[in-house]
Amino acid sequence: MAKQRRKRRRRNRLVSILVAMLLIVLVAIAGIITSFIKKYTPSDAKMDLADYYHTDKDEIALILQDTISDAKGKMVDGKVYLPYSIITKELGGRFYWDQESQKMLYTTATDTLEIKPEDTAYTVAGQAKQQDYVLVKKIGDEFYIAFDFVKKYLPVEGKIYENPNRVVLTYKWGEINTVCALKDAKVRYQGGIKSPILSQVKKGDTMILLEEMENWSRIMTADGIDGYIEKKDLGKNQITKLSYNGEYQEDYSSLTRDHKINLTWHQVTSEAANAALGQVIQNMTGVNVISPTWFSITANEGTISSLASADYVNEAHNKGLEVWGLIDNFNSSVSTLETLSSRNSRSHIIQKLLEESKRVGLDGINVDFEALTEEEAPHFIQFVRELSVVCRANNLVLSVDNPVPQFTGFYNRKEQGIVADYVIIMGYDEHTTGSEEAGSVASLPFVKEGIEKTLQEVPKEKVLNGIPFYTRLWTESNNGTLSSEVMTMGDAEQYIQRNGIEVYWERETAQNYGELLTDKGTQKIWLEDEQSIEEKMKLIEQYDLAGVASWKLGFEKADIWKIISEYLQ
């Protein structure tokens, strides 16, 4: 009997253990199922869009086509106002705040608009034009321009959305990558089903495709939401062409010639040098434009010096040459920033250039403002705009000299390419005074990169590439110092022959290179000669540029002109 009771107790304990184990297994399974469901069930949490855009009550989020800007617009009296900084830096607008006159300026092809902050009217050609809203507002330290007014003077379109307030701006016209929703789908903050929901797209909605991942795609919706959608809910990406259909019409007539330009700069440092024109061009062939260095800014008020000569122009015209007078900013006592940031100074320079052009019969103006800083650049481009109006009205060709774009993107070559007739690349001074190491004045890769980067902003029909007629003889002294001296083509050739320097063709630079060991150190030279110039002219032909410019007249060998002409046919 006791034995049976012990068996029953053991059986009951076994059952209890099995039941407990079963319960544990069931709980574990339930936990696994719950975890599985939790893991693979999409989140329904929604992100507040005001938090997403980081906007306050009076602010409006700015979506620049496919990018949400950190900057914010303003909503005032039901009107959208865009920051002046965004208009000029991102949208390419020609609005310019003139500190001196305390006016917002906008230079068209024929005149300059003037707008006072908090005014509903603007002035153009002395005539006031009225609008029914404030055109420019100053809020804090920032200027804001009414979007309705911006659309009149920029090829930009925009659509405004509410809750929260935002405007989607389209200003890059051309081809973009798009994708279409195959069904209704949620747009999430990040690529994952647990990420909060930003919005929802409908079947057939088209979005800009920003990025593709394994299972998710990053997109920009039509109403300006940058988020993620599962790839299975999207069709194949396709190319969509955006065309501008707004009211703004750009009409910058150009005085570009219907033939290739072969320009050479003539350094003129005195009136007596003008009389030597016939002598310096006696062996010159193929050139159709000569640019004498006649004008220079002499004071911050915009006064200029002039060596312009009517006799020089007449002689050049008789030789079949156009004359484009050059103006520079080389006077070290003059502040380029102070001069160009003053409307009165800019106007004075332009007026004097016009007077001198008429007096001597110039065909064009060549602007050679060098070593510009990023702070000076906006004022410089405004000067070019205002000068272009006068040149256009007086049939003067306007050309602007630029260093290679590698480190000077702030020169705004795109705008130059619109308002000026020619943009000239100074494709030299790759290594110059102050360089840390000896090197070529203009190696072929350096020239090629300068051309390619310029063509990203300026149409080829307006681009001239500048080539050097000089080289540098470098001396790496035994005490570790580096120095150089400029040599003409002829002087360099004579130096090579006189010192028995053996040169060889350096494929990397596309130049003849030589070295000379002296008591003072090692001399190095990368020659500019017939071979190197021909390689540069091949690039000009390859990229179908508008022509060539050369610095400077008198430094060349006579047979260089024939080589240049062969590639400008």
Side-chain angles (χ1 to χ4, degrees):
M1 194 75 175
K3 191 174 183 179
Q4 290 178 345
R5 282 198 300 271
R6 284 197 298 273
K7 287 183 178 179
R8 282 197 299 272
R9 283 198 298 272
R10 283 198 298 269
R11 191 165 52 247
N12 290 338
R13 282 199 300 271
L14 182 60
V15 170
S16 297
I17 292 171
L18 290 174
V19 169
M21 291 179 64
L22 179 60
L23 287 173
I24 291 171
V25 170
L26 290 175
V27 169
I29 291 173
I32 292 171
I33 292 173
T34 301
S35 177
F36 182 86
I37 293 172
K38 186 176 180 180
K39 180 178 180 180
Y40 292 99
T41 299
S43 170
D44 289 329
K46 294 184 179 180
M47 177 178 283
D48 184 272
L49 289 183
D51 293 336
Y52 172 71
Y53 289 114
H54 305 292
T55 51
D56 294 330
K57 184 174 65 174
D58 64 336
E59 292 181 331
I60 182 165
L62 304 178
I63 296 88
L64 308 179
Q65 194 132 339
D66 56 5
T67 304
I68 298 174
S69 174
D70 291 333
K72 302 292 187 291
K74 297 290 185 181
M75 182 71 80
V76 182
D77 298 328
K79 290 288 185 181
V80 173
Y81 287 80
L82 304 181
Y84 165 64
S85 58
I86 289 294
I87 294 171
T88 55
K89 294 177 182 178
E90 300 292 341
L91 305 185
R94 296 190 179 92
F95 291 94
Y96 170 84
W97 174 250
D98 189 73
Q99 184 67 24
E100 183 180 63
S101 65
Q102 290 289 296
K103 292 178 181 178
M104 188 68 71
L105 308 181
Y106 182 96
T107 301
T108 68
T110 57
D111 217 320
T112 296
L113 284 60
E114 302 178 6
I115 313 163
K116 293 181 179 179
E118 304 301 330
D119 207 342
T120 58
Y122 62 96
T123 304
V124 58
Q127 300 294 317
K129 296 189 177 184
Q130 190 71 37
Q131 300 293 325
D132 60 357
Y133 52 87
V134 172
L135 302 175
V136 176
K137 300 188 73 68
K138 186 177 184 182
I139 304 174
D141 295 329
E142 177 72 277
F143 291 98
Y144 293 83
I145 305 175
F147 180 49
D148 286 347
F149 191 69
V150 170
K151 289 189 293 185
K152 294 178 180 292
Y153 293 99
L154 269 180
V156 58
E157 295 178 356
K159 191 168 183 179
I160 302 169
Y161 297 89
E162 297 179 339
N163 300 318
N165 289 331
R166 58 194 186 276
V167 57
V168 180
L169 301 172
T170 303
Y171 61 101
K172 299 174 185 175
W173 306 104
E175 295 182 342
I176 60 170
N177 284 323
T178 60
V179 68
C180 191
L182 297 177
K183 63 178 184 178
D184 294 356
K186 292 178 173 60
V187 181
R188 296 187 180 273
Y189 181 60
Q190 293 178 323
I193 61 173
K194 294 304 179 183
S195 182
I197 298 168
L198 295 172
S199 180
Q200 183 165 309
V201 295
K202 300 291 185 182
K203 179 180 178 180
D205 284 353
T206 298
M207 297 147 280
I208 299 175
L209 179 61
L210 301 177
E211 184 181 358
E212 282 190 298
M213 289 159 286
E214 184 177 355
N215 298 313
W216 293 79
S217 289
R218 181 174 163 230
I219 52 85
M220 173 68 75
T221 64
D223 59 347
I225 294 175
D226 180 343
Y228 294 81
I229 295 180
E230 289 190 85
K231 288 182 73 172
K232 64 182 179 62
D233 295 334
L234 300 173
K236 293 182 179 180
N237 63 300
Q238 55 189 2
I239 300 298
T240 300
K241 186 174 183 179
L242 298 179
S243 299
Y244 174 67
N245 297 307
E247 59 182 302
Y248 173 72
Q249 296 294 325
E250 194 162 75
D251 183 23
Y252 282 84
S253 58
S254 177
L255 296 175
T256 49
R257 303 315 194 205
D258 59 2
H259 55 263
K260 298 290 186 182
I261 297 296
N262 186 349
L263 176 151
T264 191
W265 284 291
H266 180 200
Q267 188 172 30
V268 177
T269 56
S270 66
E271 291 184 2
N274 287 323
L277 175 64
Q279 180 181 349
V280 296
I281 66 173
Q282 61 181 344
N283 294 319
M284 186 180 77
T285 60
V287 173
N288 48 34
V289 177
I290 191 167
S291 181
T293 59
W294 274 346
F295 309 112
S296 188
I297 302 173
T298 56
N300 295 340
E301 293 74 24
T303 55
I304 66 172
S305 60
S306 173
L307 295 171
S309 163
D311 289 340
Y312 181 107
V313 173
N314 289 333
E315 184 173 1
H317 284 173
N318 289 335
K319 298 288 187 180
L321 301 171
E322 291 189 25
V323 183
W324 299 356
L326 180 148
I327 180 169
D328 66 49
N329 65 333
F330 297 168
N331 191 319
S332 60
S333 66
V334 176
S335 166
T336 299
L337 177 62
E338 188 174 336
T339 303
L340 296 186
S341 61
S342 164
R343 191 178 186 191
N344 284 333
S345 296
R346 294 194 306 271
S347 297
H348 194 269
I349 295 170
I350 293 169
Q351 182 60 35
K352 289 302 178 182
L353 284 175
L354 179 60
E355 290 175 4
E356 287 296 278
S357 296
K358 289 182 175 180
R359 181 178 70 83
V360 303
L362 283 180
D363 305 288
I365 298 293
N366 176 240
V367 178
D368 188 27
F369 286 13
E370 298 188 20
L372 294 176
T373 66
E374 197 160 356
E375 186 181 8
E376 293 164 347
H379 310 294
F380 170 70
I381 199 65
Q382 180 62 19
F383 168 71
V384 172
R385 291 185 188 113
E386 293 170 358
L387 178 58
S388 78
V389 173
V390 173
C391 286
R392 199 173 292 108
N394 291 276
N395 204 35
L396 292 168
V397 177
L398 175 60
S399 58
V400 185
D401 304 337
N402 290 261
V404 292
Q406 280 82 323
F407 306 105
T408 56
F410 54 84
Y411 271 61
N412 200 347
R413 291 165 180 79
K414 181 179 180 181
E415 182 74 348
Q416 290 183 36
I418 294 172
V419 303
D421 299 302
Y422 291 102
V423 174
I424 303 178
I425 309 166
M426 294 184 289
Y428 37 80
D429 281 349
E430 178 181 4
H431 294 86
T432 186
T433 303
S435 294
E436 295 182 356
E437 60 182 7
S440 168
V441 166
S443 69
L444 201 65
F446 172 82
V447 175
K448 186 174 186 289
E449 184 179 2
I451 292 173
E452 290 178 344
K453 285 185 177 294
T454 299
L455 290 177
Q456 292 174 8
E457 299 183 273
V458 185
K460 63 182 182 180
E461 296 81 9
K462 288 192 169 189
V463 176
L464 306 181
N465 186 64
I467 59 175
F469 284 165
Y470 67 95
T471 191
R472 284 185 178 272
L473 175 66
W474 296 89
T475 301
E476 295 176 344
S477 67
N478 295 327
N479 62 11
T481 61
L482 178 67
S483 62
S484 69
E485 60 177 296
V486 172
M487 285 187 163
T488 69
M489 287 183 168
D491 288 344
E493 184 178 62
Q494 290 176 16
Y495 190 85
I496 291 292
Q497 294 173 352
R498 188 167 60 248
N499 290 278
I501 300 175
E502 185 177 349
V503 298
Y504 65 90
W505 183 252
E506 191 176 73
R507 293 182 60 185
E508 182 181 350
T509 60
Q511 289 177 289
N512 283 304
Y513 171 76
E515 287 186 11
L516 177 65
L517 294 177
T518 70
D519 294 338
K520 296 180 179 179
T522 303
Q523 292 188 329
K524 298 180 178 182
I525 191 166
W526 286 262
L527 291 171
E528 291 295 349
D529 53 20
E530 293 89 343
Q531 284 180 277
S532 69
I533 293 299
E534 182 166 18
E535 293 304 310
K536 293 174 178 61
M537 291 307 302
K538 286 178 181 178
L539 282 181
I540 291 172
E541 181 184 54
Q542 175 187 339
Y543 289 98
D544 194 23
L545 302 186
V548 66
S550 52
W551 179 265
K552 64 178 180 171
L553 181 62
F555 274 23
E556 77 286 354
K557 293 164 66 176
D559 52 0
I560 289 296
W561 298 118
K562 180 180 178 182
I563 294 171
I564 292 174
S565 295
E566 286 177 357
Y567 289 89
L568 293 179
Q569 300 302 319

